[in-house]
Amino acid sequence: MGEGLASPRPLGESRTTRLLLIGTALAFLGIFLFVPLVAVFVEALCRGVGVYWSAVTDPYAVSAIRLTLLVAGIAVPLNLSFGVAAAWAVTKFEFTGKSLLVTLIDLPFSVSPVISGMVYILLFGLQGWFGPWLLAHDIQLMFAVPGLVMATMFVTFPFVARELIPLMQEQGTDEEEAAVSLGAGGFQLFWRVTLPNIRWGLLYGVLLCNARAMGEFGAVSVVSGHIRGLTNTMPLHIEILYNEYNLVAAFAVASLLAVLALITLVAKSALEWRYGGELSRGGGS
Amino acid sequence: MADLAVTGPLSFGWRVGMLNRRSVLPGFGLSFGYAVTYLSLIVLVPLAGLMIRSVGMGPAAFWAEIASTRVLAAFRVSFATALAAAAINTVFGLLVAWVLVRYRFPGKRVVDAMVDLPFALPTSVAGIALTTLYSTKGWIGALLVPLGIKVAFTPLGIVLALTFIGLPFVVRTVQPILQDLNIEQEEAAFSLGATRLQTFIRVIFPALLPALMTGFALAFARGLGEYGSVIFIAGNIPRVSEIVPLLIVMQLEQFNYAGATAIATTMLVFSFLLLLMINLLQGWMRRRHG
Amino acid sequence: MSIVASRIAKRFGSYQALDNISLTVHSGELLALLGPSGSGKTTLLRILAGLDFADTGSLEIDGRETLGLSPRERQVGFVFQHYSLFRHMTVFDNIAFGLQVRARRDRPSKAAIAERVHQLLDLVQMEWLADHYPAQLSGGQRQRVALARALAIEPKVLLLDEPFGALDAKVRKELRRWLRRLHDEMHITSVFVTHDQEEALEVADRIVVMSQGRIEQVGTPTEVYDTPATAFVFDFLGNANRLEVEVTDGRAHLSGLALDLPIRLAASGPAIAFVRPQDVDIGKTVEATMAPAVVRSIVTIGPTARFELDVGGHLIEAVVDRERSRGLDLAVGDHCGVRLGQVQVFSRSS
């Protein structure tokens, strides 16, 4: 990590310049990252633990937490399966249209979350293409859990694939070919040779995917319908509480998500630190 | 699919998903088929639906929805604030990356991890936290009142939220490049008599330029589409601090699907142009750094 | 367990990697595929292993048509150039892998697998490293594990792709002698790919010299070295002086100098003559059947001395041992005599 550069040497900035640059960078990060994070916890606890506790155990809050877990619990494993399949196809084979596929996988990152939700309304909403048919068969996708899941899947779609593709690219196909020459079948090959090599990268991708899935706001907001206790995920619940000027409750629920974010960051850093060599370089962002 | 060979009378043009080289590894058909089906169902078909709908509107109706002063003002606000935030992030992102790569100081590892906070923290949480901090009664907002600066519920608030959201992009794009930068080049410049500042401007900065531009473009693209963190702090005053994504949501809530479609499609076109640009920039970056 | 490959061809796009290769590997022999990079030797080896697909041709291993079989059905042991050890498995697990992935009814018991692995560890002299991970091993150790892993499945034939390519010079020499001894004990039909002619000459029973997707010559090390079939083989197998000559009446002429040579070339016309530096004889004076020359440089390398001689405007390299060099007592600029022995002449087209 450039440790060698920290010691004084002819090439490098003067001590004053160094301190000034470090100071400015830390001040910037402090004001923009640290203070807002602290504010969430301070605001949540400013009326005491009792008020905090009743805010997070409020039935609507609890149902929002449940819904968030449910949606992430469906969307993340599905995107995991996609990520593994896409990475396998892209990194172990040469085929026409490969770079197109890789570009398309990244597409959701460049679409506004609001549009990510909206496209489903246009398909499955009442005025959507399949709206009348769904209505006739009494199936409701929008403003219900399936809609939340679809919007979340769209938004978190690239995470796992994006982490795995560069990682598996670096690893090449040598070990898989060796396994084939030793008589391993397809499933054994993946389970015993490929998976152990990519497990930490996979976990890393799942972690990021999950953080985004639980915290997604814009896409989910569009397809939710904001029905309390039914289609409100935690981020949406926060919005409602905030707009009702119930700041303590809003920050209390927000603090749960902030804790999730912190856990994600700690786990991510731990993975990078411990298994840095087994993660792809420059992935994850 | 894996059993087809490319040679033969049918191998004209390019056929997507055709193996260029047979492989002994199993599962191409399954993994490719699954990935493409999944991608189509979740991403491509819904996006195509939006595009088809907007084409179906006809250019006149499309233009009528876009050309209102309110919509145009929203585009102006979105672009201006996203540009400003991306510019701020480029300057400070370079600084943060530099400090993290080149210097040693206590708590460096924690600071490094914290840079990713905006990726991990849900946008609505960031939104309400920033709004509370920068309102006239908030910790920071109250300090700015005597200076005559109002942040919350003004375009400045939007820039603030977008700066938060886009902060990791420049840092994380520049950091690995800076890490791999060959120190010998700097030593060479130094031995040829260049000052530290000259070395930075003439040797280091040009090497970082592709990464900086990529980071800038990524932060800008993210800022353009951002919704959650902005709506709380923006105040959402039409023609002043109303962003495009909010306008889309409002049209949807009023069941004006035509309006939402037109605005969203315009937005999407800009996003795709940006994506194309980012891809070109990354190609440039790869050629530079191998 | 012989291997019979006939008329194997393989293209990559417009590039002809293998051009109708026919080759027989005898049971129990150690055969080297020798050639420069791009000669198709690795592609051929991978086709034998089933890791690549031939466009046309047929392949029999042990009398059984094999091209349609998957690698797991072929029972071929393959040793990869960069070892390709499973990095998350210990040495023990790496070697056991091929036995563990067998279908239940063919799979030996745990105890039998352990016993087999330990036998192999013993064979490759690595018993004490069973619990180590590949990252903890040296290059030579990794290659021996890779070999043990390939042998674990009791292969009918053993294929090795540049087995010593990634090792440093000293380990390389040790390991190839060890491999030769191992082969002498086990007598498993083996094919190895190399671009190092010294390695092929030292280790192999027979050598197949390849160039541009074709076989140039097949023969024992002595045959290919002493009687190269083509100019390419001569050039590739060891250092050689390359001289452009003119052939008339069964004699080769090197601009003015008549060389009295055993010529296998009937046709007259421009040709290329090869002569190895150690077959160039130097005389203190111009003796009979010698041509006059001038010493341009003398470099002593260990036990030998290398002379660069100007023979009528052609630079010819000669290598003599140090004793002889001392006896000659020549210095740069001195006049001397030179005699070319063992000259091979090939027509220009080959």
Side-chain angles (χ1 to χ4, degrees), chain C residues 13-47:
Chain C
S14 63
Y15 173 65
Q16 188 80 41
L18 291 176
D19 191 2
N20 280 323
I21 296 283
S22 295
L23 175 68
T24 302
V25 186
H26 305 307
S27 187
E29 80 172 333
L30 178 54
L31 183 100
L33 294 179
L34 174 67
S37 60
S39 59
K41 56 194 193 304
T42 292
T43 305
L44 178 59
L45 194 77
R46 288 173 62 88
I47 287 173

Side-chain angles (χ1 to χ4, degrees), chain A residues 226-243:
Chain A
H226 305 278
I227 309 160
R228 271 197 182 193
L230 283 179
T231 61
N232 256 352
T233 61
M234 288 167 80
L236 300 177
H237 191 58
I238 293 171
E239 183 195 18
I240 292 183
L241 292 170
Y242 187 85
N243 288 342

Side-chain angles (χ1 to χ4, degrees), chain B residues 22-66:
Chain B
R22 269 175 85 192
S23 169
V24 288
L25 300 184
F28 176 70
L30 181 67
S31 60
F32 180 80
Y34 179 71
V36 168
T37 311
Y38 192 109
L39 173 75
S40 305
L41 288 181
I42 296 296
V43 178
L44 300 184
V45 170
L47 281 180
L50 173 67
M51 291 297 184
I52 293 169
R53 244 184 204 257
S54 66
V55 169
M57 283 171 73
F62 189 94
W63 181 244
E65 295 288 351
I66 296 293

